[in-house]
Amino acid sequence: MFLEKANELFDYTVDIRRKMHKIPELAGKEEETVKLVCQKLGQMGVSYDIVNQGGILGFIDGNKNNNNPKTILLRADLDALPFDEPDNNLSKPRIVKSKNEGVMHACGHDGHTSILLTAARILNEVKDDFAGSVILCFERGEESGKGYKYLLAYLDSKNINIDACYAIHVSPDYKSGVMAIGAGGINAGSLAFDITIKGNSGHGSRPYEANNPLDCFVDIYSGLKSLRMNNFSPFDPMTYSIGVVQMGNKYNQIPDKLRFRGSMRFFDREKVGYKFYEDFKSLIINKSKANNCKVIFDTYTKPRFPIINDLNLSALALTSMTDELGEDFVKEASPSMGSDTFATYSYQWPSLYIMLGINNEEKGSGAALHSPKFDLDEKALIHGTAATARFVVDFLNSDIELADRPYKNRLRDFFIEEDRSDEEIEDIYETITR
């Protein structure tokens, strides 16, 4: 039923995706994209609220009777990335191209939003077939990580009870149309650092009169490379890297400072994330002291949250989507070391984060996310739409039992765990009232 309907609405899905793709907007600047989503919701007759700086929340209520109705939140993201979009993808001319210079949808958010809007249209037409409620969540600023907090605060301020949350992300790791489902840790948590080492400057002819911060950085980097082997179990997944090293601009001048920036990814926040947080910080401090340098932690974030898929939701999705799409289009997902703000939702409510394959060699789609060559196979959106609608109906009509997540109905505590001050938390709640 849902696959047939998704096929019938394919032109509708593609129209939304292409309109979004032509007008990509960076995080926090999604004004035209928000207007497009609101227009589509309005045309469906779906009520919605615009959350200042957060995005849009739409609401669909089922008409079926149930003694214990549930509510599910479906998340899609709206923002694009700062890339110039080339005329071709991996091997073919693009079907649609960005009109905004220096900005493109290189992470598939146009696909996510078109799937959710089409699924919303289907769900709104079959309200007599399910009980409970659906919240459509269109998040601004996913790439910057700045939009979700306003959406969560809005839901909290309205005392809206949510039983589960769901999101799809397109992936070049799976063939087009495949729904990849995994239980447990599916998307990594992260930690970011931006460090400045201060030594003493000097002339290149007299290095003995200077204290080169590069020497200190080399010691830190050497220690970082061995940290994985010496401090962590080989059975605990993690990665880390340094992407920026900056110092000086003259060939014969030793600068007085060096800046380096990087990130770390993990699945076990307590055992791995926090241990790295403490061990790497100690390494930096000790190496700086040994080199008679000062260190400034410009940014050193607490470990952010990974996405943990609920076991029961994963099992339901496997059954539901296999029945709707067939066994050839449902696979077990491999965990990804990428990160997504959906993790913050998954620590409020039981969650399901699914990958939708968009790899199609014939169409030139399959480049990595966050690559200028990235493109998606629009036909895959049919399966994403059908799978979403089917799963939502099956979930809302089920007797599934889910365990509460650690921060359900404790959003302020969650914000504190994110290292936010009381003043910042109050500002978040004040912002959503404007």
Side-chain angles (χ1 to χ4, degrees):
M1 170 188 172
F2 295 103
L3 183 57
E4 180 181 354
K5 191 63 177 177
N7 270 296
E8 292 174 3
L9 291 174
F10 179 56
D11 289 345
Y12 176 82
T13 309
V14 166
D15 180 65
I16 295 171
R17 186 255 164 172
R18 293 184 185 180
K19 283 178 178 174
M20 274 190 68
H21 199 88
K22 288 177 182 177
I23 57 161
E25 297 170 298
L26 296 176
K29 300 180 179 180
E30 310 95 330
E31 302 303 328
E32 294 304 313
T33 307
V34 167
K35 288 180 184 177
L36 175 63
V37 172
C38 291
Q39 178 192 55
K40 295 301 180 183
L41 293 174
Q43 289 171 352
M44 295 177 211
V46 170
S47 64
Y48 62 86
D49 295 337
I50 298 175
V51 179
N52 185 28
Q53 297 187 38
I56 310 148
L57 294 170
F59 304 92
I60 300 173
D61 293 326
N63 294 328
K64 195 173 181 179
N65 291 325
N66 189 313
N67 292 330
N68 186 27
K70 295 187 286 294
T71 298
I72 185 168
L73 179 145
L74 313 179
R75 197 287 309 253
D77 28 24
L78 302 176
D79 53 332
L81 289 162
F83 294 130
D84 286 315
E85 185 165 29
D87 292 332
N88 295 339
N89 55 31
L90 284 176
S91 61
K92 298 287 191 301
R94 293 182 183 276
I95 294 174
V96 60
K97 186 181 173 185
S98 167
K99 292 183 177 180
N100 293 345
E101 186 177 354
V103 187
M104 72 170 283
H105 274 291
C107 198
H109 295 187
D110 51 341
H112 305 161
T113 300
S114 61
I115 287 172
L116 184 51
L117 283 169
T118 311
R121 180 170 167 178
I122 295 172
L123 291 167
N124 198 46
E125 292 174 358
V126 298
K127 290 189 288 187
D128 290 343
D129 296 335
F130 65 87
S133 301
V134 180
I135 298 176
L136 311 167
C137 177
F138 298 90
E139 179 186 332
R140 298 180 65 170
E142 191 281 326
E143 298 292 353
S144 67
K146 293 182 178 180
Y148 72 86
K149 58 182 179 285
Y150 301 110
L151 292 166
L152 295 181
Y154 185 87
L155 292 165
D156 182 55
S157 71
K158 300 296 182 181
N159 295 314
I160 296 174
N161 182 66
I162 294 170
D163 297 286
C165 54
Y166 168 98
I168 278 182
H169 204 296
V170 297
S171 172
D173 296 333
Y174 306 93
K175 76 175 185 177
S176 182
V178 165
M179 307 302 300
I181 305 167
I186 197 68
N187 214 239
S190 66
L191 177 157
F193 50 88
D194 184 347
I195 312 294
T196 299
I197 303 167
K198 299 189 74 172
N200 292 312
S201 62
H203 195 270
S205 64
R206 298 183 299 279
Y208 47 84
E209 295 180 355
N211 184 10
N212 194 338
L214 179 61
D215 296 332
C216 181
F217 172 73
V218 169
D219 275 0
I220 291 172
Y221 188 63
S222 177
L224 176 62
K225 288 201 295 183
S226 61
L227 198 65
R228 175 73 175 91
M229 178 69 73
N230 295 335
N231 294 43
F232 295 89
S233 166
F235 302 105
D236 293 326
M238 64 182 294
T239 62
Y240 48 77
S241 61
I242 291 176
V244 174
V245 179
Q246 296 172 330
M247 65 174 286
N249 56 17
K250 295 181 180 179
Y251 79 98
N252 63 347
Q253 183 74 26
I254 297 171
D256 67 340
K257 59 186 177 183
L258 178 149
R259 179 190 183 194
F260 67 96
R261 302 173 63 191
S263 65
M264 179 262 186
R265 310 292 174 113
F266 54 87
F267 285 104
D268 190 321
R269 187 169 182 261
E270 300 299 326
K271 185 178 177 182
V272 179
Y274 265 108
K275 180 171 175 55
F276 181 91
Y277 176 85
E278 298 292 345
D279 290 358
F280 187 44
K281 189 172 187 178
S282 294
L283 186 152
I284 293 168
I285 292 171
N286 292 334
K287 294 295 185 183
S288 297
K289 287 181 179 178
N291 283 273
N292 294 316
C293 289
K294 294 181 180 179
V295 60
I296 300 172
F297 291 87
D298 300 299
T299 299
Y300 199 76
T301 67
K302 277 187 173 182
R304 301 185 181 108
F305 298 88
I307 298 176
I308 310 296
N309 276 348
D310 182 85
L311 298 179
N312 292 332
L313 289 177
S314 300
L316 177 62
L318 183 64
T319 301
S320 175
M321 295 179 187
T322 300
D323 185 60
E324 188 68 34
L325 306 178
E327 291 183 357
D328 290 343
F329 288 99
V330 179
K331 304 293 182 185
E332 183 177 353
S334 299
S336 165
M337 298 308 287
S339 296
D340 191 306
T341 57
F342 187 68
T344 62
Y345 301 75
S346 81
Y347 270 73
Q348 315 301 314
W349 313 289
S351 67
L352 184 65
Y353 184 82
I354 292 179
M355 306 299 177
L356 169 62
I358 47 84
N359 193 316
N360 187 328
E361 188 174 344
E362 291 182 1
K363 296 184 178 181
S365 62
L369 300 172
H370 289 225
S371 161
K373 288 289 186 179
F374 176 81
D375 201 0
L376 56 81
D377 177 9
E378 291 177 331
K379 283 288 187 180
L381 305 179
I382 297 172
H383 279 191
T385 299
T388 297
R390 172 65 184 269
F391 173 77
V392 169
V393 171
D394 285 355
F395 168 75
L396 291 175
N397 289 337
S398 73
D399 295 323
I400 190 170
E401 294 186 3
L402 303 173
D404 285 342
R405 296 293 290 146
Y407 289 96
K408 183 173 182 178
N409 299 326
R410 296 177 53 224
L411 184 60
R412 288 179 181 267
D413 290 339
F414 178 80
F415 283 155
I416 291 170
E417 178 59 24
E418 287 189 310
D419 222 14
R420 301 186 191 276
S421 66
D422 290 340
E423 291 77 14
E424 183 182 0
I425 294 171
E426 291 307 314
D427 183 67
I428 292 169
Y429 279 89
E430 182 181 338
T431 297
I432 63 175
T433 65
R434 295 201 288 264

PDB file of all heavy atoms in Angstrom, residues 107-109 111-112 115 168-172 354-358 369 374 376 381:
ATOM      1  N   CYS A 107      24.905  16.824   1.668  1.00  0.00           N
ATOM      2  CA  CYS A 107      24.684  15.812   2.706  1.00  0.00           C
ATOM      3  C   CYS A 107      23.286  15.210   2.621  1.00  0.00           C
ATOM      4  O   CYS A 107      22.849  14.510   3.527  1.00  0.00           O
ATOM      5  CB  CYS A 107      24.929  16.414   4.086  1.00  0.00           C
ATOM      6  SG  CYS A 107      25.192  15.190   5.393  1.00  0.00           S
ATOM      7  N   GLY A 108      22.576  15.526   1.552  1.00  0.00           N
ATOM      8  CA  GLY A 108      21.296  14.882   1.325  1.00  0.00           C
ATOM      9  C   GLY A 108      20.120  15.421   2.108  1.00  0.00           C
ATOM     10  O   GLY A 108      19.062  14.797   2.147  1.00  0.00           O
ATOM     11  N   HIS A 109      20.255  16.599   2.726  1.00  0.00           N
ATOM     12  CA  HIS A 109      19.154  17.117   3.528  1.00  0.00           C
ATOM     13  C   HIS A 109      17.931  17.454   2.677  1.00  0.00           C
ATOM     14  O   HIS A 109      16.801  17.427   3.178  1.00  0.00           O
ATOM     15  CB  HIS A 109      19.599  18.354   4.321  1.00  0.00           C
ATOM     16  CG  HIS A 109      20.644  18.062   5.347  1.00  0.00           C
ATOM     17  ND1 HIS A 109      21.088  18.993   6.261  1.00  0.00           N
ATOM     18  CD2 HIS A 109      21.349  16.927   5.625  1.00  0.00           C
ATOM     19  CE1 HIS A 109      22.014  18.453   7.049  1.00  0.00           C
ATOM     20  NE2 HIS A 109      22.193  17.210   6.668  1.00  0.00           N
ATOM     21  N   GLY A 111      16.965  15.557   0.271  1.00  0.00           N
ATOM     22  CA  GLY A 111      16.315  14.250   0.192  1.00  0.00           C
ATOM     23  C   GLY A 111      15.550  13.916   1.456  1.00  0.00           C
ATOM     24  O   GLY A 111      14.413  13.430   1.412  1.00  0.00           O
ATOM     25  N   HIS A 112      16.145  14.191   2.610  1.00  0.00           N
ATOM     26  CA  HIS A 112      15.488  13.898   3.892  1.00  0.00           C
ATOM     27  C   HIS A 112      14.172  14.666   4.023  1.00  0.00           C
ATOM     28  O   HIS A 112      13.150  14.119   4.448  1.00  0.00           O
ATOM     29  CB  HIS A 112      16.397  14.277   5.064  1.00  0.00           C
ATOM     30  CG  HIS A 112      17.750  13.654   5.023  1.00  0.00           C
ATOM     31  ND1 HIS A 112      18.820  14.139   5.730  1.00  0.00           N
ATOM     32  CD2 HIS A 112      18.223  12.585   4.332  1.00  0.00           C
ATOM     33  CE1 HIS A 112      19.887  13.390   5.489  1.00  0.00           C
ATOM     34  NE2 HIS A 112      19.544  12.446   4.642  1.00  0.00           N
ATOM     35  N   ILE A 115      11.445  13.428   1.603  1.00  0.00           N
ATOM     36  CA  ILE A 115      10.881  12.167   2.112  1.00  0.00           C
ATOM     37  C   ILE A 115       9.872  12.444   3.216  1.00  0.00           C
ATOM     38  O   ILE A 115       8.753  11.915   3.219  1.00  0.00           O
ATOM     39  CB  ILE A 115      12.001  11.242   2.640  1.00  0.00           C
ATOM     40  CG1 ILE A 115      12.799  10.637   1.476  1.00  0.00           C
ATOM     41  CG2 ILE A 115      11.422  10.124   3.516  1.00  0.00           C
ATOM     42  CD1 ILE A 115      14.036   9.873   1.922  1.00  0.00           C
ATOM     43  N   ILE A 168      15.860   9.395   8.984  1.00  0.00           N
ATOM     44  CA  ILE A 168      16.546   8.725   7.877  1.00  0.00           C
ATOM     45  C   ILE A 168      17.724   9.596   7.452  1.00  0.00           C
ATOM     46  O   ILE A 168      17.626  10.829   7.450  1.00  0.00           O
ATOM     47  CB  ILE A 168      15.592   8.538   6.674  1.00  0.00           C
ATOM     48  CG1 ILE A 168      14.711   7.306   6.855  1.00  0.00           C
ATOM     49  CG2 ILE A 168      16.358   8.389   5.370  1.00  0.00           C
ATOM     50  CD1 ILE A 168      13.778   7.046   5.688  1.00  0.00           C
ATOM     51  N   HIS A 169      18.829   8.956   7.094  1.00  0.00           N
ATOM     52  CA  HIS A 169      19.942   9.671   6.470  1.00  0.00           C
ATOM     53  C   HIS A 169      20.380   8.912   5.228  1.00  0.00           C
ATOM     54  O   HIS A 169      20.583   7.701   5.272  1.00  0.00           O
ATOM     55  CB  HIS A 169      21.130   9.814   7.424  1.00  0.00           C
ATOM     56  CG  HIS A 169      22.012  10.974   7.069  1.00  0.00           C
ATOM     57  ND1 HIS A 169      22.710  11.040   5.873  1.00  0.00           N
ATOM     58  CD2 HIS A 169      22.289  12.127   7.731  1.00  0.00           C
ATOM     59  CE1 HIS A 169      23.383  12.181   5.818  1.00  0.00           C
ATOM     60  NE2 HIS A 169      23.133  12.861   6.940  1.00  0.00           N
ATOM     61  N   VAL A 170      20.501   9.623   4.113  1.00  0.00           N
ATOM     62  CA  VAL A 170      20.969   8.975   2.888  1.00  0.00           C
ATOM     63  C   VAL A 170      22.425   8.553   3.065  1.00  0.00           C
ATOM     64  O   VAL A 170      23.186   9.177   3.811  1.00  0.00           O
ATOM     65  CB  VAL A 170      20.827   9.896   1.662  1.00  0.00           C
ATOM     66  CG1 VAL A 170      19.357  10.215   1.403  1.00  0.00           C
ATOM     67  CG2 VAL A 170      21.628  11.175   1.820  1.00  0.00           C
ATOM     68  N   SER A 171      22.799   7.485   2.363  1.00  0.00           N
ATOM     69  CA  SER A 171      24.155   6.949   2.509  1.00  0.00           C
ATOM     70  C   SER A 171      24.659   6.391   1.188  1.00  0.00           C
ATOM     71  O   SER A 171      23.964   5.606   0.533  1.00  0.00           O
ATOM     72  CB  SER A 171      24.180   5.845   3.562  1.00  0.00           C
ATOM     73  OG  SER A 171      25.445   5.191   3.575  1.00  0.00           O
ATOM     74  N   PRO A 172      25.880   6.759   0.792  1.00  0.00           N
ATOM     75  CA  PRO A 172      26.486   6.179  -0.409  1.00  0.00           C
ATOM     76  C   PRO A 172      27.052   4.779  -0.167  1.00  0.00           C
ATOM     77  O   PRO A 172      27.549   4.145  -1.103  1.00  0.00           O
ATOM     78  CB  PRO A 172      27.605   7.169  -0.742  1.00  0.00           C
ATOM     79  CG  PRO A 172      28.007   7.731   0.587  1.00  0.00           C
ATOM     80  CD  PRO A 172      26.738   7.794   1.402  1.00  0.00           C
ATOM     81  N   ILE A 354      17.986   5.410  10.545  1.00  0.00           N
ATOM     82  CA  ILE A 354      18.138   4.446   9.461  1.00  0.00           C
ATOM     83  C   ILE A 354      18.893   5.070   8.294  1.00  0.00           C
ATOM     84  O   ILE A 354      18.730   6.257   7.984  1.00  0.00           O
ATOM     85  CB  ILE A 354      16.750   3.962   8.994  1.00  0.00           C
ATOM     86  CG1 ILE A 354      16.100   3.129  10.084  1.00  0.00           C
ATOM     87  CG2 ILE A 354      16.836   3.154   7.714  1.00  0.00           C
ATOM     88  CD1 ILE A 354      14.731   2.626   9.716  1.00  0.00           C
ATOM     89  N   MET A 355      19.708   4.255   7.636  1.00  0.00           N
ATOM     90  CA  MET A 355      20.406   4.692   6.432  1.00  0.00           C
ATOM     91  C   MET A 355      19.617   4.292   5.192  1.00  0.00           C
ATOM     92  O   MET A 355      19.112   3.168   5.101  1.00  0.00           O
ATOM     93  CB  MET A 355      21.803   4.057   6.358  1.00  0.00           C
ATOM     94  CG  MET A 355      22.663   4.273   7.578  1.00  0.00           C
ATOM     95  SD  MET A 355      22.991   6.003   7.896  1.00  0.00           S
ATOM     96  CE  MET A 355      23.933   5.891   9.411  1.00  0.00           C
ATOM     97  N   LEU A 356      19.527   5.209   4.238  1.00  0.00           N
ATOM     98  CA  LEU A 356      18.888   4.940   2.952  1.00  0.00           C
ATOM     99  C   LEU A 356      19.950   4.976   1.861  1.00  0.00           C
ATOM    100  O   LEU A 356      20.569   6.018   1.626  1.00  0.00           O
ATOM    101  CB  LEU A 356      17.802   5.984   2.666  1.00  0.00           C
ATOM    102  CG  LEU A 356      17.232   5.997   1.245  1.00  0.00           C
ATOM    103  CD1 LEU A 356      16.552   4.676   0.909  1.00  0.00           C
ATOM    104  CD2 LEU A 356      16.261   7.170   1.072  1.00  0.00           C
ATOM    105  N   GLY A 357      20.165   3.839   1.206  1.00  0.00           N
ATOM    106  CA  GLY A 357      21.171   3.777   0.157  1.00  0.00           C
ATOM    107  C   GLY A 357      20.796   4.623  -1.049  1.00  0.00           C
ATOM    108  O   GLY A 357      19.645   4.627  -1.489  1.00  0.00           O
ATOM    109  N   ILE A 358      21.804   5.360  -1.589  1.00  0.00           N
ATOM    110  CA  ILE A 358      21.571   6.192  -2.782  1.00  0.00           C
ATOM    111  C   ILE A 358      22.654   5.935  -3.837  1.00  0.00           C
ATOM    112  O   ILE A 358      22.825   6.710  -4.771  1.00  0.00           O
ATOM    113  CB  ILE A 358      21.502   7.689  -2.432  1.00  0.00           C
ATOM    114  CG1 ILE A 358      22.648   8.145  -1.506  1.00  0.00           C
ATOM    115  CG2 ILE A 358      20.185   8.006  -1.734  1.00  0.00           C
ATOM    116  CD1 ILE A 358      23.927   8.481  -2.170  1.00  0.00           C
ATOM    117  N   LEU A 369      29.472  11.654   1.512  1.00  0.00           N
ATOM    118  CA  LEU A 369      28.797  12.807   2.092  1.00  0.00           C
ATOM    119  C   LEU A 369      29.811  13.924   2.327  1.00  0.00           C
ATOM    120  O   LEU A 369      30.985  13.680   2.577  1.00  0.00           O
ATOM    121  CB  LEU A 369      28.136  12.424   3.418  1.00  0.00           C
ATOM    122  CG  LEU A 369      27.077  11.314   3.358  1.00  0.00           C
ATOM    123  CD1 LEU A 369      26.663  10.919   4.771  1.00  0.00           C
ATOM    124  CD2 LEU A 369      25.867  11.759   2.559  1.00  0.00           C
ATOM    125  N   PHE A 374      29.047  14.810  -4.380  1.00  0.00           N
ATOM    126  CA  PHE A 374      27.895  14.086  -3.849  1.00  0.00           C
ATOM    127  C   PHE A 374      26.640  14.351  -4.673  1.00  0.00           C
ATOM    128  O   PHE A 374      26.362  15.481  -5.076  1.00  0.00           O
ATOM    129  CB  PHE A 374      27.627  14.475  -2.394  1.00  0.00           C
ATOM    130  CG  PHE A 374      26.395  13.825  -1.830  1.00  0.00           C
ATOM    131  CD1 PHE A 374      26.437  12.530  -1.368  1.00  0.00           C
ATOM    132  CD2 PHE A 374      25.176  14.498  -1.810  1.00  0.00           C
ATOM    133  CE1 PHE A 374      25.288  11.909  -0.869  1.00  0.00           C
ATOM    134  CE2 PHE A 374      24.031  13.891  -1.319  1.00  0.00           C
ATOM    135  CZ  PHE A 374      24.093  12.592  -0.856  1.00  0.00           C
ATOM    136  N   LEU A 376      22.472  12.247  -5.248  1.00  0.00           N
ATOM    137  CA  LEU A 376      21.668  11.092  -4.840  1.00  0.00           C
ATOM    138  C   LEU A 376      20.780  10.624  -5.988  1.00  0.00           C
ATOM    139  O   LEU A 376      20.464  11.380  -6.908  1.00  0.00           O
ATOM    140  CB  LEU A 376      20.839  11.394  -3.594  1.00  0.00           C
ATOM    141  CG  LEU A 376      19.885  12.589  -3.587  1.00  0.00           C
ATOM    142  CD1 LEU A 376      18.576  12.254  -4.277  1.00  0.00           C
ATOM    143  CD2 LEU A 376      19.606  13.030  -2.149  1.00  0.00           C
ATOM    144  N   LEU A 381      14.312   7.769  -3.048  1.00  0.00           N
ATOM    145  CA  LEU A 381      13.409   8.486  -2.158  1.00  0.00           C
ATOM    146  C   LEU A 381      12.052   7.800  -2.050  1.00  0.00           C
ATOM    147  O   LEU A 381      11.347   7.957  -1.046  1.00  0.00           O
ATOM    148  CB  LEU A 381      13.237   9.928  -2.641  1.00  0.00           C
ATOM    149  CG  LEU A 381      14.531  10.741  -2.827  1.00  0.00           C
ATOM    150  CD1 LEU A 381      14.219  12.144  -3.339  1.00  0.00           C
ATOM    151  CD2 LEU A 381      15.335  10.804  -1.535  1.00  0.00           C
TER     152      LEU A 381
END
